[in-house]
Amino acid sequence: MDVFVLIGTFAVVCLLGMPVAYALGIAAIAAALWIDIPLEAVMLKVSGGMSGFSLLAIPFFILAGSIMAVGGMAERLVNLAKVFVGFIRGGMALVNILASTMFGCISGSSVADTAAVGSVMIPQMIKNGYPRLFAVNVTISGSLQPLLVPPSHNMIIYSIAAGGTISVAHLFMGGIIPALLLGLSLIILVLIIAHRENFPKGEVVPLRQALKIALDAVWGMVTVFIILGGILSGVFTPTEAGAVACVYAFLVTMFVYRDVKWSELPKLIGRVVRTVGMVMIMIGFSIAFGYMMAIMRIPAIATQFFIDISSDKYMFLLWINILLLLLGTFMDLAPMLLICTPIFLPVIKAFGIDPVHFGIVMILNLGIGLLTPPVGPTMVVGCAIGKVSMEAVSRSILVFYIPMLIVLALVTYIPELTLWLPRMLLGK
């Protein structure tokens, strides 16, 4: 009955249209009242959950990504990608994917990537003769990559949901190879479609112009080296890397690119504050929700349940992937990480699964949910930019799920794809 009160209250409040963050808080309060725990204990968990030093990395990385997004970085990366692949048949689609790969190392957000790269690439692809639905599908599929590369703030959220026991730096490194695999698989699919549909070729960029484009884009790409180089060398922590990236992004945007007016900064910061506020409220309430789950022994019950239905970790991973793919279609990535991680963490430890490996599997799996109806925030943004309906995109995007699911299976059942790079660079 205790479990029913907690989970049932959360489900009912969500169905009534309450934002997930508040649904978590209301469910935690209802459960506390049911088992007669002082509400002060719940509120202390909420405030304590939002006061960790590591949490500062989230607003820093969101602000750095937002500054670079509005500062013309996406357009410069698109131009740089054209130099490398723009002349191939279907080159504009390849440029889209490659630009998402590069911009993901700055934004760390699937929605931000779709908004920034899509606003540049979707109109250009349509203008150059690509079908509108195809342009939208390529954009939102490529935008799955930023979830897997630094500075993905979802990896920070996963670490926090795990009680801070999982290294953010290891997660950052662990997602790089899966992200590159995903980008490569999408490129192969696009090349097949481009040759079948006889999509147009682009022009070769002259050497002089290519060098100018590369020099113009290199300022933004330095952000990647600041984040990765600083963390790997031990000069600063991921949180400090976010702060340094913020300062650098501000200097480049305002004094080098100069695409943002000083009068626009308050609006930009206001949008970032609203985003960070929503994330932090969700984290605080999820900590309280997890606290109530721990008291009610839900993780222990879940561990025993999964061990009872299967003693094989590979079957367990299959069931978890199916479950997460279904749940991810109805809920956003961050709340799913915050809810599911405390439940599954004891289970994966019982099966001997590495938490870094499992974290990348979860993020990739739930990231696919961002591209699926009925919620699909990345799909919503792509549809708005491309001026198409979600129904039309939902039908036409099916073939793009094939490479995503293949990569998900590879990452799930070949742990070294995730763990090799962190072990080599950071040790274990």
Side-chain angles (χ1 to χ4, degrees):
M1 189 64 187
D2 294 347
V3 176
F4 177 78
V5 170
L6 179 67
I7 305 299
T9 301
F10 173 74
V12 169
V13 174
C14 281
L15 290 173
L16 291 175
M18 181 75 70
V20 174
Y22 299 119
L24 289 168
I26 291 171
I29 291 172
L33 292 172
W34 174 259
I35 62 176
D36 199 26
I37 288 180
L39 293 183
E40 289 84 352
V42 177
M43 293 301 106
L44 285 172
K45 286 294 178 181
V46 173
S47 61
M50 294 188 288
S51 62
F53 174 75
S54 60
L55 286 175
L56 285 173
I58 295 175
F60 284 143
F61 282 131
I62 291 176
L63 178 58
S66 298
I67 291 173
M68 298 302 277
V70 301
M73 188 64 240
E75 187 172 357
R76 288 170 172 84
L77 290 177
V78 166
N79 292 334
L80 181 62
K82 286 180 182 177
V83 173
F84 296 110
V85 295
F87 57 90
I88 303 172
R89 184 172 302 281
M92 291 290 287
L94 301 182
V95 168
N96 196 325
I97 296 169
L98 190 57
S100 288
T101 306
M102 294 187 290
F103 188 71
C105 296
I106 297 170
S107 70
S109 165
S110 176
V111 173
D113 185 274
T114 297
V117 175
S119 62
V120 178
M121 285 305 306
I122 291 177
Q124 285 192 29
M125 289 181 68
I126 295 170
K127 184 179 178 181
N128 282 271
Y130 290 82
R132 186 179 294 269
L133 285 173
F134 178 78
V136 173
N137 290 335
V138 170
T139 302
I140 62 178
S141 299
S143 295
L144 187 55
Q145 297 171 90
L147 301 175
L148 299 170
V149 294
S152 170
H153 61 265
N154 288 293
M155 293 182 181
I156 301 170
I157 291 174
Y158 172 74
S159 176
I160 292 166
T165 58
I166 302 171
S167 165
V168 173
H170 281 76
L171 289 167
F172 277 180
M173 294 302 104
I176 291 176
I177 292 178
L180 295 176
L181 275 177
L182 179 62
L184 178 62
S185 67
L186 289 172
I187 286 173
I188 292 171
L189 175 65
V190 165
L191 286 172
I192 293 171
I193 296 174
H195 281 79
R196 189 185 66 191
E197 301 293 333
N198 198 30
F199 287 154
K201 291 183 179 180
E203 297 180 356
V204 177
V205 179
L207 180 60
R208 183 184 294 271
Q209 187 180 350
L211 291 174
K212 183 180 178 181
I213 290 170
L215 184 62
D216 198 29
V218 75
W219 289 99
M221 293 305 296
V222 169
T223 311
V224 181
F225 295 102
I226 289 175
I227 295 169
L228 294 183
I231 293 172
L232 293 176
S233 64
V235 174
F236 37 66
T237 65
T239 300
E240 293 162 347
V244 174
C246 269
V247 174
Y248 179 80
F250 174 78
L251 294 175
V252 169
T253 299
M254 303 307 296
F255 297 104
V256 179
Y257 291 155
R258 300 181 183 179
D259 286 352
V260 177
K261 298 177 181 178
W262 288 91
S263 59
E264 297 172 347
L265 277 179
K267 290 183 179 179
L268 169 64
I269 295 173
R271 288 197 299 269
V272 171
V273 169
R274 285 195 295 272
T275 301
V276 172
M278 289 187 290
V279 172
M280 298 302 286
I281 289 172
M282 186 177 298
I283 289 173
F285 283 139
S286 71
I287 296 296
F289 189 85
Y291 170 66
M292 297 310 302
M293 284 198 299
I295 290 177
M296 295 175 174
R297 300 186 67 254
I298 293 177
I301 295 170
T303 301
Q304 191 58 50
F305 171 76
F306 282 109
I307 290 174
D308 288 343
I309 63 172
S310 175
S311 59
D312 180 40
K313 71 176 182 180
Y314 299 107
M315 283 303 299
F316 163 73
L317 287 169
L318 176 62
W319 288 118
I320 289 299
N321 269 321
I322 294 172
L323 176 63
L324 293 178
L325 284 170
L326 293 172
L327 293 176
T329 62
F330 297 101
M331 288 185 66
D332 204 352
L333 197 158
M336 283 298 297
L337 287 175
L338 291 165
I339 295 168
C340 294
T341 301
I343 296 175
F344 292 143
L345 201 60
V347 187
I348 67 169
K349 289 180 179 177
F351 279 108
I353 300 169
D354 190 287
V356 173
H357 170 222
F358 187 72
I360 301 302
V361 171
M362 276 189 74
I363 291 170
L364 174 56
N365 186 310
L366 294 172
I368 295 173
L370 300 178
L371 317 180
T372 57
V375 180
T378 299
M379 179 181 281
V380 170
V381 173
C383 290
I385 295 171
K387 298 177 182 178
V388 292
S389 67
M390 283 190 70
E391 292 78 12
V393 172
S394 299
R395 291 191 297 270
S396 62
I397 199 178
L398 294 176
V399 68
F400 285 86
Y401 291 140
I402 296 173
M404 298 180 205
L405 294 174
I406 290 173
V407 173
L408 176 61
L410 290 173
V411 172
T412 299
Y413 292 110
I414 308 177
E416 285 303 308
L417 291 175
T418 299
L419 300 177
W420 175 76
L421 197 58
R423 284 172 178 165
M424 185 183 71
L425 297 176
L426 301 169
K428 189 66 177 175

